[in-house]
Amino acid sequence: MPTVTGHPERHAPTLEAVAEAAGVSRATVSRVVNGSPSVRGAVVEAVQKAIADLGYVPNRAARSLASSRTHSIALLVPEDVSRFFGDPYFASFTGGLDRRLADTEYVLNLVVARDDPGRKAVRYVRGGNVDGAIVVSHHRGHDFLRQLEGSVPIVYGGRPDVALSAEPVFVDVDNEAGGHLATRHLIESGRTRIATIAGPEDMPAALDRLAGFRRALREAGLPDDAVVHANFTASGGAEAMRTLLSRHSDLDAVFSASDLMASGALTALASRGVDVPGDVAIVGYDDSPAATWGEIGLTTVRQPSELMGATAVDVLLRLLAGDADVPHENIVQTELVIRDSA
Amino acid sequence: MPTVTGHPERHAPTLEAVAEAAGVSRATVSRVVNGSPSVRGAVVEAVQKAIADLGYVPNRAARSLASSRTHSIALLVPEDVSRFFGDPYFASFTGGLDRRLADTEYVLNLVVARDDPGRKAVRYVRGGNVDGAIVVSHHRGHDFLRQLEGSVPIVYGGRPDVALSAEPVFVDVDNEAGGHLATRHLIESGRTRIATIAGPEDMPAALDRLAGFRRALREAGLPDDAVVHANFTASGGAEAMRTLLSRHSDLDAVFSASDLMASGALTALASRGVDVPGDVAIVGYDDSPAATWGEIGLTTVRQPSELMGATAVDVLLRLLAGDADVPHENIVQTELVIRDSA
DNA sequence: ACCGTGGGAGAGAGCGCTCTCAGGAGGCTC
DNA sequence: GAGCCTCCTGAGAGCGCTCTCTCCCACGGT
């Protein structure tokens, strides 16, 4: 069997080499590489030609050692990776994040803080290994996040429900409004006994959607007591649906706080022979791929999750650039996508 | 609004500082940090105490500049991020990968090569920014992967179907055996008109499963012509199922090359009033969460995707350590998980 | 007593870049 | 035409670590 040891680029050209080829000094090449405006056009061209000829690629390590900027940002996931990425919302958030980052020279480091309660991840972030961090899928009680404060700029995906000493910067969707929007739609289509499959009780986003649900019902003078919590999975949604059916035989509509749970609920309803939307109308949340999996298109609240990812990056880049007046709250709005289920 | 500029750790302690505190030289501290055996026990302890007292964390950039090892490895995804992570198989693969990596000092860089045909990603990997790479979700025709050869050690998740000049190292599941296993199960339970919802025609894994399917049918003397390709999504599966139903009214079993597609197929069958497994039996592939979403538990072929991720890391670490006899083919076996659908 | 021998520690030269500072060449002003 | 700017460019000192080379010292053999 042949040996398979790989070797890094042999003798990758350095700044020095480019400088020599272009007949200028190292400093000038550095200026060109970093887009300094104070280099004569002719020189810029000469340097760029040399760079192209030699196939020069800046050495990240050297650069970051000299500048104490790493040009990498952490995607901090305080959760099991497979669960995180298995959620279409986060998958799409990460997609937006990556796409926005692709134009920059920043690189994404996946930092997972699942079983150690943040120690390793915190040390990594605080250890100056990244310029900034985007924290997603944080739950209430993730207090280790406090240890990140004051180290590097941090942007949260979703408002953090952790006692932080400074006002956190976050991007979030207006979950309360989203829950209200969905529920309002059910009310307006004449439903009167409306239940909800809410998300986990330790997640602010879930609670906000629930609050919106309740507000809409209160405003309409309808009862808001049919609530079951589930864990944002399809099987959880199916089970919650069964619970709701057994508890409230009169229910005619359900607002599910995620499409995945709604798809589970649809399955549960189908197997009970309940017609959707005839007997029971259902509105989901996310506009994820799950919304169109079934035969019945799911009416749902679209969260611009990709946009959120991109926004998180934008905000972080502004912080990194030293922009002083970056808004702390970056709220994106939801919209209703009407399909068949309600 | 307060200014939110973050600052990296002020005056993080350096090797120098630790050396001074411990009363030894920089070199000795370096030895201790890197676990060199040639330092006296007493000295090791003194240094470790100093490290703990000062809260010293090695500077990655400096270390990698000096050693030309970056201690980071790339997770190269030549695909849209959201699609990639939306697939439970990959989500779980990444989970295994991360979990295995957590014990090491390596860090994962997410490198996506979606729209640019590999240029930026290739330059990143070749540019000496990572010590090695794990390439996943590659399709046939991703020839830019050839440009990675000879740069750093690479491990593929799934056998690459690209003309490489050297024998690639990969971990893979025995897809042919998996397809055979599933189909065999259907045959043994007395089904005679068995169709398959196959995966994309440009993915080796999908083709191997199809080959296993065909072999099982051939061995049993049954027809193997009921084949529809779909794209590994639930909606694709639903559509494929409808196509199959219209083409082969006599079919009594389906092997779906992924659970996600199978769940779509189940939905399609349910809406047509076809009883599962009474009228049509169905076997999925992956044993992903999707297998237990519905009311009907999906009989499926379990791929140890997490194990595969972990194995990919193991193999890569061995390559990085210069291990000469690393096997090129690392095949893990599938097993049948029997639930309700077949 | 002499010379090896070898383990353990220090010295010091980089790794490839950034960034401050200094200085040269022109172009202005009066 | 002297003096002063302004605009560009070069020189050179690090950034924090690794790693080779050298040195020191204790020990053993003869």
Side-chain angles (χ1 to χ4, degrees):
Chain A
M1 188 161 304
T3 303
V4 202
T5 359
H7 301 280
E9 207 85 309
R10 301 212 165 283
H11 287 305
T14 68
L15 252 204
E16 192 82 50
V18 175
E20 192 173 356
V24 297
S25 74
R26 227 167 52 237
T28 299
V29 178
S30 175
R31 289 190 184 97
V32 172
V33 170
N34 294 294
S36 156
S38 66
V39 181
R40 247 186 328 140
V43 176
V44 172
E45 279 172 32
V47 171
Q48 279 171 342
K49 180 170 183 314
I51 289 178
D53 289 351
L54 274 65
Y56 168 74
V57 179
N59 177 310
R60 269 183 119 68
R63 179 181 267 193
S64 92
L65 178 58
S67 65
S68 61
R69 258 174 293 116
T70 64
H71 288 290
S72 54
I73 79 171
L75 176 61
L76 188 57
V77 184
E79 172 143 30
D80 184 82
V81 193
S82 5
R83 161 128 19 127
F84 174 74
F85 285 121
D87 186 325
Y89 167 73
F90 287 121
S92 156
F93 181 94
T94 309
L97 200 150
D98 165 75
R99 215 150 301 158
R100 180 67 187 78
L101 224 41
D103 308 332
T104 73
E105 52 185 338
Y106 282 90
V107 161
L108 204 58
N109 282 185
L110 191 55
V111 181
V112 179
R114 181 189 359 80
D115 24 33
D116 90 23
R119 276 314 291 148
K120 194 185 166 192
V122 167
R123 279 189 41 193
Y124 183 72
V125 172
R126 290 199 72 90
N129 295 303
V130 293
D131 293 344
I134 294 177
V135 181
V136 286
S137 192
H138 39 277
H139 297 235
R140 176 187 294 174
H142 276 165
D143 288 334
F144 71 90
L145 292 174
R146 302 177 56 172
Q147 299 173 30
L148 293 178
E149 289 191 284
S151 55
V152 294
I154 293 181
V155 174
Y156 293 86
R159 168 193 276 110
D161 188 14
V162 173
L164 299 169
S165 52
E167 183 104 19
V169 176
F170 63 90
V171 313
D172 206 351
V173 71
D174 193 338
N175 283 296
E176 206 272 349
H180 188 268
L181 184 66
T183 312
R184 187 81 219 139
H185 175 70
L186 292 170
I187 295 168
E188 280 168 359
S189 60
R191 311 289 170 159
T192 54
R193 190 51 176 132
I194 307 176
T196 186
I197 301 175
E201 294 183 79
D202 63 351
M203 291 184 71
L207 297 178
D208 288 350
R209 287 170 207 173
L210 179 56
F213 165 81
R214 291 210 148 108
R215 178 164 64 89
L217 291 177
R218 245 182 292 116
E219 286 167 359
L222 293 171
D224 66 351
D225 59 321
V227 175
V228 172
H229 289 272
N231 64 352
F232 276 149
T233 66
S235 58
E239 196 186 322
M241 191 66 240
R242 280 175 228 126
T243 307
L244 282 175
L245 286 174
S246 67
R247 283 197 202 150
H248 312 279
S249 53
D250 56 337
L251 79 85
D252 60 4
V254 176
F255 162 49
S256 163
S258 90
D259 285 351
L260 223 44
M261 296 197 296
S263 83
L266 282 174
T267 317
L269 289 169
S271 76
R272 287 280 198 291
V274 178
D275 182 54
V276 174
D279 303 328
V280 172
I282 180 159
V283 176
Y285 203 102
D286 284 343
D287 194 27
S288 76
T292 52
W293 282 354
E295 291 278 289
I296 304 174
L298 188 65
T299 293
T300 187
V301 176
R302 170 179 295 157
Q303 298 208 82
S305 45
E306 247 204 75
L307 174 63
M308 285 180 69
T311 305
V313 171
D314 280 334
V315 170
L316 185 56
L317 291 179
R318 287 177 59 188
L319 288 175
L320 291 177
D323 190 338
D325 37 47
V326 174
H328 287 248
E329 308 198 356
N330 302 79
I331 307 292
V332 300
Q333 288 304 323
T334 56
E335 63 183 307
L336 197 63
V337 179
I338 298 184
R339 297 205 177 86
D340 317 321
S341 70
Chain B
M1 186 162 305
T3 304
V4 204
T5 358
H7 301 280
E9 207 86 309
R10 302 211 164 284
H11 289 303
T14 68
L15 251 203
E16 192 82 51
V18 175
E20 192 173 358
V24 297
S25 74
R26 229 168 49 236
T28 298
V29 178
S30 176
R31 289 193 184 96
V32 172
V33 169
N34 295 295
S36 156
S38 65
V39 181
R40 252 188 322 140
V43 176
V44 171
E45 280 172 33
V47 170
Q48 278 171 342
K49 180 170 183 315
I51 289 178
D53 289 351
L54 274 66
Y56 168 74
V57 179
N59 178 311
R60 267 184 122 68
R63 178 180 267 193
S64 93
L65 178 57
S67 65
S68 60
R69 259 174 292 117
T70 63
H71 288 290
S72 54
I73 79 170
L75 175 61
L76 187 56
V77 184
E79 171 142 29
D80 184 81
V81 192
S82 6
R83 161 128 19 128
F84 173 75
F85 285 120
D87 186 323
Y89 167 73
F90 286 122
S92 157
F93 181 93
T94 308
L97 200 149
D98 165 75
R99 217 150 300 159
R100 180 67 186 78
L101 222 42
D103 309 332
T104 73
E105 53 184 338
Y106 282 90
V107 160
L108 203 58
N109 282 187
L110 191 56
V111 180
V112 179
R114 180 190 359 81
D115 24 33
D116 89 24
R119 275 316 289 149
K120 195 185 166 190
V122 168
R123 280 187 41 192
Y124 183 71
V125 172
R126 290 198 73 90
N129 295 302
V130 293
D131 293 344
I134 293 176
V135 180
V136 285
S137 192
H138 39 277
H139 298 236
R140 175 187 295 174
H142 277 165
D143 289 333
F144 70 90
L145 292 174
R146 301 179 56 172
Q147 300 172 29
L148 294 177
E149 289 192 285
S151 56
V152 294
I154 294 182
V155 174
Y156 293 87
R159 169 193 275 111
D161 187 14
V162 173
L164 298 170
S165 51
E167 185 103 17
V169 176
F170 62 90
V171 313
D172 206 350
V173 71
D174 193 338
N175 283 296
E176 206 272 348
H180 188 268
L181 185 65
T183 312
R184 187 83 219 138
H185 175 71
L186 292 170
I187 295 169
E188 280 169 358
S189 60
R191 310 288 170 160
T192 53
R193 189 52 175 132
I194 307 176
T196 187
I197 302 175
E201 294 183 79
D202 63 351
M203 291 184 73
L207 297 177
D208 288 349
R209 287 170 207 173
L210 179 56
F213 166 81
R214 290 210 149 109
R215 177 163 64 89
L217 291 177
R218 243 181 293 115
E219 287 167 0
L222 294 171
D224 67 351
D225 59 321
V227 175
V228 172
H229 289 273
N231 65 350
F232 276 148
T233 65
S235 58
E239 196 186 322
M241 190 66 240
R242 280 175 229 126
T243 306
L244 283 175
L245 286 174
S246 67
R247 281 196 202 152
H248 312 279
S249 52
D250 55 338
L251 79 86
D252 60 4
V254 176
F255 163 50
S256 163
S258 90
D259 285 352
L260 222 45
M261 295 197 297
S263 84
L266 282 175
T267 317
L269 288 169
S271 77
R272 287 279 198 291
V274 178
D275 184 54
V276 175
D279 302 330
V280 172
I282 180 159
V283 176
Y285 203 102
D286 284 343
D287 194 27
S288 75
T292 52
W293 282 354
E295 291 277 290
I296 304 174
L298 188 64
T299 293
T300 187
V301 176
R302 169 180 294 157
Q303 300 207 79
S305 44
E306 247 203 73
L307 174 63
M308 286 179 68
T311 305
V313 171
D314 281 335
V315 171
L316 184 56
L317 290 180
R318 287 177 60 188
L319 288 175
L320 291 178
D323 190 338
D325 37 47
V326 173
H328 286 247
E329 308 199 355
N330 303 79
I331 306 292
V332 300
Q333 288 303 324
T334 55
E335 63 182 307
L336 196 63
V337 179
I338 298 185
R339 298 206 178 85
D340 317 322
S341 70

